[in-house]
Amino acid sequence: MSLYECKFDEVLTNIEKVRLRVNQHQIIKIIAVSKSVGSSEISNMYDIGQRAFGENRIQDLKSKVETLNKLPIEWHFIGRLQTNKINALIDLNPSLMHSCSSLKMAQEIDKRLEVKGKTMSVLLQINSAYEDQKAGVLPEDAIKVYDEILSTCKNIKLKGVMSIGAHSDDKALIRKSFKITHNIFTQLQTQGAKYCSMGMSSDYELAVECGSNMLRIGSTFFK
Ligand SMILES: *Cc1c(COP(=O)(O)O)cnc(C)c1O
C-alpha cells in the first residue's frame, strides 16, 4: 500500500466512525487541499481515486490546472480572492468557489461572469468564530446576504456555506463555531443550500459531528 493509500484509509475510517454515529444518511465529500504540494503529489492522490482538489491561490491553481489538464480533476478554490484576480478565476472554470466573503464580492464576481456569459458555483463564507483575521460575513448577517446574492447575482449558483473553525485548542469553541454555521446552513436549505463546507486536518471529525458534508483536508494527506 502506498503512503497516500494509508493516509487516505486512515482519514476515511475516522470520518466513517463519526458519520455512522451522527449522520448515517449523509454523503460527505472530501476536498484534498493541495496548496502545499506540486502536481506530482496531486497525480499520486488522483491515482488512488481522489478527484476533488482545493487550492487557495489563483496562480497555483492556474499552473496546476494547466499541468494536469489531461486528468478530469474537479478544482475547488478555497482562498481569499482579490478583485483583480476574479477574471483569472472565472477563466479556470472552478467546480466550486468556497470563499465568497461578502455581498460586494459576489456582485463583483457576478458582473464579470455576465460579461463572459458564464456561471459559477459559489459558497458564502461565514465568519462563525468572530475572528478579525478571518474573512466572511458575520452569522447574524448571513441569511440576509445569502438572499441578496440569490436575488441580485443571476450568474452565481449559490450552493451553500463555508467556514473555518475557531482558531483554538478548545474543542468547545471550535464546536460552537461549527454549530453556528450548520444552523445557518439548515435554515438555507429551503433556498437551495446543498453544501456545508467545514473541517480541516485538525478538526474534521468535529466538523462531521456538527453536520459538515464537505471537508477540506490538506496537511494530513500530504505531510
Ligand atoms: C489550507 C486550508 C485548508 C486545509 O488545511 P489543513 O490544515 O492543511 O488540512 C482548508 N481550508 C482552507 C480555507 C485552507 O486555506
Side-chain angles (χ1 to χ4, degrees):
M1 221 198 282
S2 75
L3 180 64
Y4 284 128
E5 284 172 298
C6 294
K7 281 282 177 200
F8 202 78
D9 276 359
E10 187 187 314
V11 172
L12 274 190
T13 305
N14 292 341
I15 293 169
E16 276 303 276
K17 265 187 216 149
V18 184
R19 189 185 73 93
L20 290 174
R21 184 157 51 77
V22 299
N23 223 346
Q24 289 193 30
H25 304 289
Q26 182 71 69
I27 289 174
I28 296 169
K29 177 148 182 143
I30 300 172
I31 315 302
V33 176
S34 47
K35 66 189 181 196
S36 65
V37 298
S39 298
S40 64
E41 285 91 343
I42 296 174
S43 180
N44 290 341
M45 195 81 182
Y46 176 91
D47 286 341
I48 65 165
Q50 179 66 23
R51 292 292 176 269
F53 292 87
E55 290 286 333
N56 69 338
R57 289 154 155 247
I58 297 293
Q59 215 32 58
D60 295 345
L61 178 61
K62 187 170 170 14
S63 76
K64 289 169 187 174
V65 165
E66 283 166 3
T67 311
L68 297 164
N69 69 346
K70 294 271 184 334
L71 303 180
I73 286 176
E74 196 185 286
W75 291 103
H76 292 243
F77 184 74
I78 61 169
R80 285 188 192 242
L81 183 61
Q82 294 166 276
T83 310
N84 65 358
K85 301 275 171 65
I86 295 175
N87 277 320
L89 178 63
I90 294 171
D91 292 342
L92 293 168
N93 301 309
S95 169
L96 185 62
M97 193 289 196
H98 292 231
S99 44
C100 178
S101 55
S102 67
L103 176 62
K104 184 162 171 280
M105 181 187 284
Q107 290 174 337
E108 294 286 349
I109 296 171
D110 186 64
K111 236 192 300 182
R112 289 161 178 80
L113 287 168
E114 177 75 29
V115 172
K116 291 174 184 283
K118 292 174 99 171
T119 61
M120 191 191 289
S121 294
V122 168
L123 303 180
L124 178 64
Q125 183 171 354
I126 301 173
N127 185 355
S128 55
Y130 292 88
E131 289 168 6
D132 287 341
Q133 63 275 22
K134 282 195 170 76
V137 299
L138 292 177
E140 54 271 32
D141 301 328
I143 302 237
K144 181 163 162 273
V145 172
Y146 199 94
D147 285 339
E148 273 173 355
I149 297 173
L150 279 180
S151 61
T152 64
C153 301
K154 297 294 173 225
N155 307 291
I156 286 182
K157 295 187 194 298
L158 207 49
K159 296 275 176 74
V161 295
M162 178 275 228
S163 275
I164 300 170
H167 184 71
S168 170
D169 294 328
D170 182 352
K171 275 195 168 192
L173 267 185
I174 304 169
R175 182 181 281 114
K176 187 175 164 202
S177 65
F178 284 155
K179 284 198 162 159
I180 288 173
T181 300
H182 185 257
N183 180 40
I184 294 165
F185 171 66
T186 305
Q187 293 177 61
L188 290 171
Q189 280 174 334
T190 50
Q191 276 100 301
K194 281 171 58 184
Y195 300 119
C196 180
S197 166
M198 54 188 199
M200 324 200 317
S201 292
S202 58
D203 53 21
Y204 64 87
E205 289 156 296
L206 204 51
V208 171
E209 190 184 309
C210 296
S212 169
N213 61 12
M214 191 173 266
L215 305 171
R216 309 177 309 271
I217 300 178
S219 50
T220 287
F221 287 144
F222 293 112
K223 78 179 168 219

